[in-house]
Amino acid sequence: MGPGRLHALVDGVFAIALTLLVLDLPKPAHSTQLVRDLLHQWPSYVAYLVSFVTIGLLWIEHHGMMSAVRSIDRRFLERTLVFLLFISIIPWPTALAASYAGHDVADARAAAVLYAATMLMMGLSFAWGWRYLSVHPDLVAEPARAAFPAGARRALLGGLVYVAAIAVAFLSPIASFAIDAFVAVYFAASKSEVPGLIARSAHPDTSG
């Protein structure tokens, strides 16, 4: 089974998730002091930015992974659907985290825990897909096969950081959200080697 239709589904889900984030940005109705009211909603902008960057980087990571996939089977499709399940959910805890950031501490904690837990499940499901490909190299292009075990470990490590975010949320929702943002920085700073291996295979070095 070729990966073409899976590419289309993944891109569609990511595009919808990114778009839904925008719909929850504050729109004060009949405000007499619009600037003040907009600035008062700063948690919404922070939550939007963190979620947008996280989803965007995960799309890049998933695109890099899929660049090495030459065929897919039903089990990989099922793992990808689980991953997309949590990608599509992200706008919901994002809106809750933004809405309850300035409310009662207990509510803010619950929202932060829900956000971090959603991100944890998303990260683990992403690592699950990487792991499946690493133990089924027949689905992967030859040049990238050796990089997939390291890619799976990298994805798992990034996902497990959200465990710390859940624990910290009970002490400080803001600190928990900072850890959530750190994961995005982690993925941005530690780029996957898979796309580079594919590119070098397609354009081998003939110098010397």
Side-chain angles (χ1 to χ4, degrees):
M1 187 184 303
R5 293 186 66 186
L6 182 59
H7 276 292
L9 175 63
V10 169
D11 287 348
V13 171
F14 270 89
I16 292 172
L18 290 171
T19 302
L20 289 177
L21 290 174
V22 179
L23 299 180
D24 289 313
L25 288 177
K27 298 176 284 292
H30 309 294
S31 174
T32 58
Q33 298 187 48
L34 181 59
V35 174
R36 184 202 64 184
D37 291 341
L38 287 174
L39 291 176
H40 184 69
Q41 298 294 329
W42 66 267
S44 296
Y45 311 132
V46 174
Y48 167 79
L49 183 62
V50 171
S51 291
F52 186 94
V53 171
T54 300
I55 294 175
L57 287 172
L58 280 167
W59 178 80
I60 294 173
E61 290 288 316
H62 193 270
H63 178 73
M65 179 181 73
M66 290 298 296
S67 69
V69 174
R70 292 297 172 260
S71 61
I72 56 178
D73 59 17
R74 182 182 177 90
R75 290 189 176 181
F76 180 67
L77 284 174
E78 293 169 349
R79 284 158 174 75
T80 302
L81 286 174
V82 173
F83 172 61
L84 294 178
L85 167 67
F86 293 107
I87 288 293
S88 65
I89 288 175
I90 289 176
W92 174 55
T94 300
L96 289 176
S99 297
Y100 287 93
H103 286 221
D104 179 79
V105 174
D107 291 337
R109 287 173 179 167
V113 168
L114 179 61
Y115 184 90
T118 301
M119 291 297 196
L120 172 63
M121 297 307 298
M122 175 274 300
L124 293 180
S125 61
F126 186 43
W128 195 29
W130 271 97
R131 174 61 180 169
Y132 185 77
L133 292 174
S134 70
V135 298
H136 292 83
D138 54 299
L139 302 178
V140 178
E142 174 62 35
R145 291 176 182 176
F148 265 73
R153 290 191 295 270
R154 175 172 168 273
L156 179 60
L157 177 61
L160 287 177
V161 174
Y162 291 115
V163 174
I166 294 173
V168 171
F170 291 97
L171 302 175
S172 171
I174 294 178
S176 174
F177 212 63
I179 296 174
D180 299 327
F182 168 78
V183 180
V185 175
Y186 165 78
F187 277 111
S190 58
K191 297 179 180 179
S192 172
E193 296 182 4
V194 171
L197 287 171
I198 295 296
R200 286 195 293 272
S201 173
H203 304 282
D205 183 7
T206 57
S207 63

